[in-house]
Amino acid sequence: MWFELGLVKEQEYECDFWEELSSRSEELENKLPMLSMPERCGEISFDSPEQSAKCVRMLGDARLRGQTGVLSERRGSYPFIDFRLLNNTIYSGEIGTKKKVKRLLSFQRYFHASRLLRGIVPQASLYLLDEGYLGQARYMLSKVGMWDFDIFLFDRLTNGNSLVTLLCHLFNVHGLIHHFQLDMVTLHRFLVMVQEDYHSQNPYHNAVHAADVTQAMHCYLKEPKLANFLTPLDIMLGLLAAAAHDVDHPGVNQPFLIKTKHHLASLYQNVSVLENHHWRSTIGMLRESRLLAHLPTEERHDIEQQLGSLILATDINRQNEFLIRLKAHLKNQDLKMEDAPDRHFMLQIALKCADICNPCRLWEMSKQWSERVCEEFYRQGDLEKKFDLEVSPLCNQQKDTIPSIQIGFMTYIVEPLFEEWANFTGNTPLSENMLNHLRRNKTKWRSLLHKQYSSSRSTDHTVPMTENEEQTLNEGEAP
């Protein structure tokens, strides 16, 4: 390594790591090319012949372009620093030398600023956070295992850098850096790649969603029925899969990619198209960053395959498959957590729960996530209307209201899965808390749906209730 990380004690990492790195500003300047993100090659070559593709074109490099000609700008969720502001400050004498400016930057900010020096134009300015914000972020990390963790606040406190900050913390807390002998700078570099490959313009499938799923996964990994048997490899796989499970998501669903004849749909033969892309993109970044390059080839290959199995499990089209299997295991009481296959299956279930846990959060956060996901649906519907395509289910803003969408989602997707999860965990306080939030949130959505219908009827008596809304109100169940 090009500087002595040994000076940073592992137990002092949370308080001193970034300060220690940023204080080495002259060394960082001399080694800037080593820190610079390599240019994306745009394809991944796979060694295993059973994999379905020899190479994968990244959406991040090729951009999303289907038959409709829709071009989607790709930019990571990290807001870049306007380095010109720093230069102006230097010339004005308000701060002083370049060295002092660099010391005001955490390592990650200096790292991203280096991209500007290579000619990458910033799209948004980033103002430096004062110590008060950083202190609040550290305090929140001390409560990261609590279910009421506010990921939106944490993202603001970390200047849109919640995924990187959270994963660095969790890898340290779980002892994964020491156990797998990971290089901390390489780990950070990999996590930045993952965060930047999420599309910040997506209302829902962005890096904040990935951070939220990762925090939920951390909570689930602490459940005694899992925690008592998990190996360091299980924990690392769970956290990595949670962080990267939606990487490079284009903001449209699989049917949209299929109907527009997108190249990814052809590549993966219309089966788990997005999930396969998330997995292969993650492998590409692992190999590009060389995070696991020091491990034996067989072990690296096993990690890549298990990551794929976890990420592919998040395909909502496979929901019944996993639910039926989980119910059978619980009924027969034949889960043996000492066995790696059974642990892996429960990690798949845990990731599925984490991915759709928004209805189980506090109302304020749950409502915000619901509005975000519906906004993403509606954007897809608007695209489909624009190009004379059939509007996908749940994507018509005039017919599919947020309350009706959420009630249906809770009733048929979320409740069945979380009830079985509670059966597995033994109705722990966390499981009970999640189910209570779920029921309360569902009641609130019902109330909003009723008010919405009553308001529309009072202003315009010709407005008919949709079949979905009528069934929701009259039968007490979602469509």
Side-chain angles (χ1 to χ4, degrees):
M1 289 179 63
W2 42 269
F3 60 86
E4 293 293 331
L5 280 176
L7 295 176
V8 185
K9 297 180 181 179
E10 186 171 333
Q11 62 268 27
E12 297 173 346
Y13 166 68
E14 297 305 325
C15 297
D16 302 331
F17 180 56
W18 302 121
E19 289 84 348
E20 175 70 19
L21 287 174
S22 60
S23 69
R24 306 289 185 96
S25 55
E26 294 304 325
E27 285 185 82
L28 291 174
E29 183 175 24
N30 294 335
K31 300 296 182 178
L32 187 59
M34 297 179 65
L35 287 173
S36 299
M37 292 279 287
E39 297 299 324
R40 301 304 296 271
C41 59
E43 65 177 26
I44 312 168
S45 296
F46 291 94
D47 303 323
S48 178
E50 72 271 16
Q51 292 176 338
S52 62
K54 294 292 184 184
C55 64
V56 178
R57 287 292 301 174
M58 294 286 195
L59 278 177
D61 298 315
R63 297 187 181 181
L64 173 62
R65 187 190 294 274
Q67 289 293 102
T68 61
V70 180
L71 181 66
S72 174
E73 290 294 333
R74 177 205 166 278
R75 188 175 74 81
S77 57
Y78 193 93
F80 292 102
I81 302 169
D82 189 343
F83 206 70
R84 292 168 298 179
L85 294 178
L86 300 180
N87 288 337
N88 291 340
T89 307
I90 294 171
Y91 298 146
S92 67
E94 293 178 14
I95 296 181
T97 66
K98 274 189 177 183
K99 187 173 182 179
K100 289 182 180 179
V101 173
K102 291 173 186 174
R103 285 180 175 174
L104 286 176
L105 298 173
S106 69
F107 172 72
Q108 56 206 30
R109 291 184 176 79
Y110 182 56
F111 171 73
H112 281 277
S114 71
R115 301 190 66 177
L116 297 172
L117 301 179
R118 293 188 288 116
I120 300 177
V121 180
Q123 298 188 22
S125 298
L126 173 65
Y127 295 95
L128 304 181
L129 292 178
D130 60 29
E131 188 62 28
Y133 281 93
L134 297 176
Q136 291 179 62
R138 291 193 190 102
Y139 175 76
M140 286 195 70
L141 284 175
S142 70
K143 307 290 185 181
V144 72
M146 305 296 290
W147 189 245
D148 60 355
F149 189 87
D150 189 340
I151 197 64
F152 297 112
L153 174 59
F154 185 70
D155 192 63
R156 291 194 295 272
L157 292 175
T158 57
N159 257 344
N161 202 32
S162 55
L163 187 60
V164 172
T165 309
L166 182 65
L167 261 295
C168 283
H169 173 78
L170 293 179
F171 265 64
N172 185 63
V173 165
H174 287 286
L176 302 178
I177 296 172
H178 174 74
H179 181 85
F180 291 99
Q181 295 297 295
L182 301 177
D183 180 276
M184 298 175 89
V185 174
T186 305
L187 172 63
H188 181 266
R189 176 183 168 210
F190 166 72
L191 295 176
V192 168
M193 292 170 69
V194 171
Q195 181 172 275
E196 288 196 335
D197 259 16
Y198 279 95
H199 299 198
S200 60
Q201 69 269 27
N202 290 345
Y204 183 82
H205 289 104
N206 52 42
V208 185
H209 165 65
D212 184 62
V213 172
T214 303
Q215 189 271 334
M217 190 67 168
H218 169 63
C219 293
Y220 299 157
L221 294 178
K222 291 168 50 182
E223 290 283 53
K225 286 288 184 70
L226 269 180
N228 293 336
F229 301 96
L230 292 177
T231 66
L233 177 59
D234 295 327
I235 296 172
M236 184 174 75
L237 286 169
L239 294 177
L240 284 179
H245 79 285
D246 274 331
V247 72
D248 204 24
H249 195 294
V252 292
N253 60 18
Q254 175 173 292
F256 183 90
L257 297 179
I258 293 173
K259 72 173 73 173
T260 57
K261 295 181 172 60
H262 193 272
H263 72 272
L264 286 178
S266 300
L267 183 64
Y268 297 116
Q269 300 178 334
N270 299 342
V271 177
S272 298
V273 175
L274 287 170
E275 291 74 23
N276 269 299
H277 178 63
H278 304 324
W279 167 35
R280 302 299 171 84
S281 297
T282 303
I283 293 175
M285 289 183 282
L286 275 173
R287 295 182 181 182
E288 186 176 329
S289 68
R290 298 185 61 79
L291 176 64
L292 307 176
H294 61 289
L295 299 179
T297 302
E298 185 176 344
E299 187 174 351
R300 293 201 307 271
H301 185 264
D302 179 62
I303 289 173
E304 291 177 355
Q305 295 303 309
Q306 290 199 61
L307 274 176
S309 177
L310 289 171
I311 293 174
L312 288 174
T314 63
D315 185 351
I316 201 67
N317 294 317
R318 301 179 64 192
Q319 185 77 1
N320 285 338
E321 169 195 336
F322 281 94
L323 190 58
I324 290 171
R325 185 178 167 190
L326 177 59
K327 287 181 177 180
H329 277 305
L330 296 177
K331 180 180 179 180
N332 299 329
Q333 298 183 347
D334 57 1
L335 279 172
K336 297 180 180 179
M337 300 305 291
E338 300 87 352
D339 297 344
D342 284 355
R343 288 201 308 276
H344 184 78
F345 172 69
M346 289 314 304
L347 281 178
Q348 290 177 311
I349 296 298
L351 181 57
K352 289 179 68 63
C353 288
D355 190 25
I356 62 171
C357 72
N358 302 150
C360 302
R361 297 284 193 180
L362 291 169
W363 169 250
E364 291 75 15
M365 287 185 283
S366 178
K367 182 173 181 289
Q368 187 171 166
W369 282 122
S370 299
E371 292 168 346
R372 284 169 174 253
V373 73
C374 289
E375 172 61 24
E376 196 164 296
F377 290 162
Y378 297 152
R379 288 187 183 185
Q380 177 177 320
D382 291 343
L383 273 178
E384 290 167 332
K385 291 177 183 177
K386 180 177 180 180
F387 295 103
D388 296 322
L389 300 170
E390 181 182 356
V391 178
S392 299
L394 311 182
C395 296
N396 191 329
Q397 189 168 5
Q398 281 67 48
K399 295 182 179 179
D400 304 305
T401 64
I402 298 178
S404 62
I405 290 174
Q406 290 307 306
I407 295 169
F409 179 57
M410 293 177 180
T411 301
Y412 291 109
I413 303 295
V414 183
E415 279 182 337
L417 181 61
F418 276 86
E419 286 172 356
E420 298 304 324
W421 175 258
N423 291 334
F424 165 73
T425 61
N427 295 304
T428 60
L430 174 58
S431 293
E432 290 293 330
N433 192 23
M434 291 191 298
L435 287 174
N436 288 336
H437 284 316
L438 176 61
R439 290 159 186 150
R440 284 195 291 266
N441 292 340
K442 188 175 178 181
T443 299
K444 289 189 177 183
W445 283 121
R446 287 193 187 284
S447 176
L448 287 175
L449 180 60
H450 190 277
K451 289 179 181 178
Q452 190 177 74
Y453 173 67
S454 299
S455 175
S456 64
R457 292 288 293 174
S458 63
T459 56
D460 186 356
H461 294 286
T462 65
V463 176
M465 177 181 281
T466 67
E467 181 180 348
N468 290 350
E469 293 173 336
E470 185 176 3
Q471 185 176 353
T472 301
L473 286 174
N474 294 340
E475 298 181 7
E477 287 298 335

